[in-house]
Amino acid sequence: MNLKEKVVIITGAGSGIGAASAKLFGTHGATVVTSDINLENAQKVAEEIKAAGGSASAIKTNVTKFEEVESLIAETVKVHERLDVIVNNAGIGGANQKKTAEHTHEDWHNVIAVNQTGVFYCMQVALQQMMKQGHGNIVNIASLAGLKASGNNLSYSASKFAVVGMTKSAALEYGHKNIRINAVCPGYTHSALLDQLLSTRDDMGDILKRHIPMRRFGEANEIAEGVCWLASDNSKFITGQTLTLDGGTSL
């Protein structure tokens, strides 16, 4: 993949898909800025990239705070002079698995703030910089839950449907500005969010795998491959699309 020397920000890079993507970008020669609300985790990933011969640094960011998003992008541009790619990966699930009538307001506000508003903030500030420099690439991490119904999960589903919609709307607006915007929609993938779901009942893993034609969960590095491909010049005629990586679950 053609990613050499691209300046890349990844939010939520301290673990899961974000960490796997950051490391893969580093392997392909990109300059990686690992961003996470947990600075220690972001620094650990950055150090692993550097230890493998790559270039990386870490910045603490709470994507629900607009001024922190502004600072993240401003600091990146100050050091590296541009922003080629931003991967909007930071995301959370609700603390409770409840139907809509019982859905907690706390879960609603927390999930929407990170998964939807956080992506909007990052897109908005990144687009302003990308228009100044005349190019850019945004990859948003949505979910299979943003393409099809997901029960007991209203705020998460709503936020991920929103990410898909924001991706398509912004891609339509900025395609003529040499800015590409796409989304990745993972299915059930080994992560903290999946662990949270599996903990709800002993047989949840078996139940979920029965809905996956490949009969297994995805791995973070498999999702990272799709992220890096969309961010690379190998996909330069693709914009406004959702790349579904779900082992066939959506079938």
Side-chain angles (χ1 to χ4, degrees):
M1 283 181 281
N2 188 355
L3 291 163
K4 191 171 179 60
E5 297 183 354
K6 288 188 182 294
V7 177
V8 182
I9 291 174
I10 304 174
T11 67
S15 61
I17 292 170
S21 298
K23 294 172 188 177
L24 189 57
F25 273 111
T27 298
H28 285 287
T31 298
V32 184
V33 178
T34 62
S35 169
D36 201 283
I37 196 169
N38 186 320
L39 181 59
E40 184 178 349
N41 285 353
Q43 288 174 328
K44 181 180 178 181
V45 173
E47 289 303 319
E48 289 181 30
I49 293 170
K50 289 191 285 187
S55 175
S57 58
I59 299 176
K60 181 177 180 179
T61 312
N62 180 345
V63 297
T64 71
K65 307 293 185 184
F66 185 70
E67 62 276 11
E68 292 193 26
V69 172
E70 286 186 306
S71 179
L72 166 66
I73 292 174
E75 186 172 341
T76 298
V77 174
K78 180 180 179 180
V79 173
H80 302 292
E81 300 184 342
R82 66 185 191 279
L83 172 61
D84 298 310
V85 179
I86 185 166
V87 179
N88 294 317
N89 168 74
I92 62 171
N96 305 283
Q97 296 290 311
K98 294 181 179 293
K99 293 182 180 180
T100 301
E102 292 80 38
H103 198 85
T104 70
H105 289 193
E106 182 179 18
D107 274 352
W108 175 267
H109 292 299
N110 289 342
V111 172
I112 295 299
V114 176
N115 296 7
Q116 182 173 340
T117 304
V119 170
F120 163 60
Y121 286 166
C122 289
M123 287 178 67
Q124 186 174 61
V125 181
L127 282 165
Q128 291 167 359
Q129 170 59 32
M130 289 171 176
M131 284 191 290
K132 289 179 185 176
Q133 64 194 28
H135 73 276
N137 192 324
I138 297 174
V139 181
N140 295 323
I141 308 302
S143 170
L144 183 59
L147 298 174
K148 62 186 293 293
S150 178
N152 301 326
N153 212 8
L154 187 73
S155 56
Y156 187 80
S157 182
S159 70
K160 294 303 185 178
F161 266 92
V163 170
V164 171
M166 290 190 291
T167 297
K168 291 181 178 295
S169 293
L172 181 65
E173 294 169 344
Y174 295 98
H176 69 291
K177 295 289 188 180
N178 198 29
I179 299 171
R180 297 195 296 115
I181 307 167
N182 293 288
V184 168
C185 294
Y188 297 112
T189 303
H190 283 294
S191 65
L193 285 178
L194 179 60
D195 290 341
Q196 180 182 332
L197 180 58
L198 295 178
S199 70
T200 59
R201 53 186 289 178
D202 292 340
D203 60 348
M204 182 59 77
D206 292 333
I207 292 172
L208 295 179
K209 286 177 183 177
R210 284 201 293 269
H211 295 283
I212 306 171
M214 287 188 176
R215 295 294 188 267
R216 69 174 179 86
F217 299 130
E219 301 294 339
N221 64 301
E222 293 173 322
I223 311 305
E225 291 281 356
V227 172
C228 288
W229 180 70
L230 285 173
S232 76
D233 291 340
N234 299 76
S235 60
K236 58 187 178 182
F237 197 52
I238 297 177
T239 195
Q241 301 304 305
T242 53
L243 179 60
T244 306
L245 302 166
D246 66 352
T249 307
S250 53
L251 300 176

